[in-house]
Amino acid sequence: MHYKFRLQKLLDMRQEKEDEKKRELMKAMSHKQQIENKIKQFEESYDEYRQIPLEKSIVEKKITQRYLNSLTTLIEENKKELKKHEKITEEKRIELVSAQVERKTVEILKEKDYERAVKEAALKEQNQIDEFALYGYVRRER
């Protein structure tokens, strides 16, 4: 039996769309991870310089304090950016799930159509067998 799904092009397009959404999600997750890593580095650097030794000069203390203030600002900005990218990542995840549902819908149609085609082929084959049996019976009865 040769089976060809009439909506194969649609299924292929839906699969491509799903693959694209997967790539977009992975890209968004990667960017989010980069931001998290930056925040971690800034926080580690902040913790390293947070304790200003008393033996430092006033100029060194001021420089260190300005650096700490700069790190605090960077941490806050990156946390805002992280929240924005968490939202983007969640949107990409929702888009992927939607694309998966669309693809799965067409796959289910394909499976049902294939089952129908198999049943139809089996019925044709059974009808042919019945006809051959009938011809054989008619020949013997003559």
Side-chain angles (χ1 to χ4, degrees):
M1 177 186 92
H2 178 68
Y3 172 73
K4 182 168 171 55
F5 182 51
R6 294 177 301 135
L7 300 175
Q8 187 61 45
K9 279 270 193 210
L10 177 63
L11 180 59
D12 293 342
M13 287 172 41
R14 298 259 172 105
Q15 182 65 51
E16 288 174 18
K17 182 179 177 183
E18 180 183 345
D19 293 343
E20 178 64 28
K21 297 298 178 186
K22 282 180 186 176
R23 285 189 293 275
E24 289 176 6
L25 176 61
M26 295 308 288
K27 185 177 177 183
M29 289 173 69
S30 172
H31 195 257
K32 182 180 152 235
Q33 185 64 41
Q34 290 173 350
I35 295 170
E36 288 172 343
N37 290 341
K38 271 192 209 176
I39 292 171
K40 185 178 177 184
Q41 288 175 344
F42 292 147
E43 287 174 342
E44 287 172 356
S45 186
Y46 184 88
D47 289 342
E48 181 181 335
Y49 287 97
R50 183 175 57 194
Q51 300 298 325
I52 302 172
L54 295 175
E55 64 271 1
K56 281 190 171 184
S57 70
I58 294 179
V59 173
E60 289 176 318
K61 287 180 184 180
K62 272 192 165 186
I63 291 172
T64 303
Q65 188 59 45
R66 284 186 181 156
Y67 178 66
L68 290 173
N69 291 340
S70 173
L71 283 174
T72 303
T73 303
L74 285 172
I75 290 169
E76 289 172 5
E77 289 172 358
N78 278 280
K79 283 185 178 180
K80 287 177 187 175
E81 189 175 348
L82 177 64
K83 284 187 182 198
K84 184 174 83 174
H85 279 281
E86 285 174 342
K87 185 177 179 183
I88 290 170
T89 301
E90 189 56 33
E91 289 170 1
K92 297 295 181 186
R93 183 173 283 113
I94 291 169
E95 289 175 8
L96 173 61
V97 168
S98 175
Q100 287 174 329
V101 167
E102 290 175 3
R103 175 196 47 84
K104 190 67 176 167
T105 302
V106 178
E107 274 186 357
I108 290 170
L109 286 175
K110 181 179 181 177
E111 290 169 6
K112 287 183 179 181
D113 191 53
Y114 180 74
E115 289 172 7
R116 180 202 51 78
V118 167
K119 286 179 183 177
E120 193 175 285
L123 186 60
K124 274 185 181 179
E125 185 179 347
Q126 186 61 46
N127 286 341
Q128 286 178 339
I129 291 170
D130 290 347
E131 282 182 32
F132 291 142
L134 182 61
Y135 288 140
Y137 177 74
V138 170
R139 270 198 222 140
R140 278 186 260 132
E141 290 298 315
R142 288 190 189 172

